[in-house]
Amino acid sequence: MSSIAFIGLGNMGGPMAANLVKAGHQVTGFDLSEASCAEAKAAGVAIAASAAGAVAGADAIVTMLPAGKHVRAVWAEIVPAAKAGAVLIDSSTIDVESARAVHALASAAGLKPVDAPVSGGTGGAKGATLTFMVGGGDDAFALAKPILEAMGKRIVHCGGAGAGQAAKICNNMILGISMIAVGEGFALAEKLGLSHQALFDVASTSSGQCWSLTTYCPVPGPVPTSPANNGYKPGFAAELMLKDLNLSQEAAKAAGAATPLGSAAAELYARFAEAGHAGVDFSGIIEMLRKG
Ligand code: NAD
């Protein structure tokens, strides 16, 4: 059993903290939202009056916050209050630059930081089946791994500081582009009089095969569990896909990488979100693609 602090008890952080409690850890949490604190308290998380108060004496600290600016602000507060040698795990999806900046801050204070963004969404957070993509030193990874195992089922050490965030945004850029590609394929098939099932049967066993087609098919029918069969209820909301695509474009610009399709995907998801579909599952973009 470890003493763990958890800052950011929202849609993802709440159930993740609850899974740490279920695994037998002593968890103290903090969130600016009273409702999130109340829900976490009901799941067995002790609630502190501040982020600094939550981390005092903790062996491990997890943050699950909206964006880079929140992580920078919270880490600036908790790093000076953390116990010597504590492992700091940021599981938020944030820009690589902020991830590297908070790594440097924590390392300079003698702490063990890792960036450990997740894939798997709120279902994975509840079921403790998340995939963690981890960036950081070998010693920090070794300390973080058993804690992450209580919240996920696949823990991948991707490299040094920021490598977890890099893996996450590259993966999600591929996903955003591939969902648009599959959507365009079905939209063209419809105009050509080809049935959804016929295209699925061919493409799913041919060179067009990909996750966006075989697991998350954007038209109803071929994959009964995909959000297309449920009015495009998320799942993974378009606004979160847009966030990750924008992070990929920021990173591409900073690193001098050419990502023309990533850039086009970010523009299309921005248009989709602005048209009032920010909360719709990201596969729903097929409805906009049909209209052109
Ligand atoms: P959320 O908005 O539900 O939760 C974030 C929480 O952080 C909120 O409860 C908010 O009150 C709290 N918070 C903000 N600033 C704070 C501060 N200074 N101190 C303490 N608490 C603070 O968001 P979420 O869906 O849980 O997502 C969290 C992160 O996980 C994001 O970076 C998101 O991109 C990433 N993510 C989300 C999903 C998903 O499906 N929801 C999937 C993968 C990754």
Side-chain angles (χ1 to χ4, degrees):
M1 182 186 91
S2 302
S3 159
I4 303 176
F6 207 114
I7 319 295
L9 302 165
N11 291 324
M12 294 292 289
M16 289 165 72
N19 283 327
L20 291 174
V21 172
K22 275 187 212 153
H25 297 296
Q26 187 191 319
V27 185
T28 304
F30 176 71
D31 194 293
L32 295 176
S33 148
E34 277 181 27
S36 298
C37 287
E39 227 171 290
K41 196 174 173 190
V45 176
I47 301 299
S50 67
V55 306
D59 307 313
I61 301 165
V62 187
T63 53
M64 192 53 166
L65 297 161
K69 64 178 182 192
H70 306 95
V71 175
R72 284 178 187 255
V74 167
W75 279 47
E77 181 187 342
I78 62 179
V79 163
K83 183 166 124 181
V87 58
L88 266 72
I89 302 168
D90 179 45
S91 284
S92 328
T93 302
I94 66 171
D95 57 290
V96 176
E97 208 186 312
S98 293
R100 291 190 176 144
V102 297
H103 263 268
L105 179 76
S107 298
L111 304 171
K112 306 284 181 197
V114 295
D115 49 296
V118 302
S119 78
T122 51
K126 285 189 190 112
T129 57
L130 293 168
T131 293
F132 286 91
M133 296 149 253
V134 188
D138 289 341
D139 49 350
F141 178 72
L143 291 170
K145 194 167 180 248
I147 292 159
L148 299 178
E149 279 168 345
M151 302 184 284
K153 80 174 180 203
R154 207 156 166 256
I155 323 292
V156 185
H157 192 185
C158 299
Q165 297 295 350
K168 164 89 187 174
I169 58 176
C170 290
N171 177 70
N172 279 21
M173 185 178 80
I174 296 170
L175 175 63
I177 293 169
S178 71
M179 183 54 78
I180 290 167
V182 171
E184 285 189 4
F186 277 105
L188 175 59
E190 288 163 5
K191 296 270 191 221
L192 297 175
L194 181 65
S195 76
H196 290 161
Q197 193 63 48
L199 176 58
F200 181 85
D201 289 346
V202 172
S204 64
T205 53
S206 305
S207 43
Q209 189 274 334
C210 64
W211 187 91
S212 294
L213 177 75
T214 56
T215 302
Y216 221 77
C217 190
V219 293
V223 179
T225 50
S226 77
N229 300 280
N230 190 19
Y232 298 103
K233 188 168 167 274
F236 187 53
E239 62 190 335
L240 290 174
M241 173 50 81
L242 177 59
K243 174 191 169 181
D244 293 355
L245 285 168
N246 284 338
L247 287 175
S248 78
Q249 293 314 289
E250 260 177 53
K253 205 168 155 202
T259 56
L261 288 181
S263 164
E267 279 169 31
L268 286 166
Y269 274 102
R271 185 144 71 82
F272 187 57
E274 277 158 23
H277 307 302
V280 168
D281 186 79
F282 82 111
S283 61
I285 199 163
I286 189 173
E287 299 202 325
M288 184 180 91
L289 298 171
R290 278 194 189 104
K291 293 180 200 138

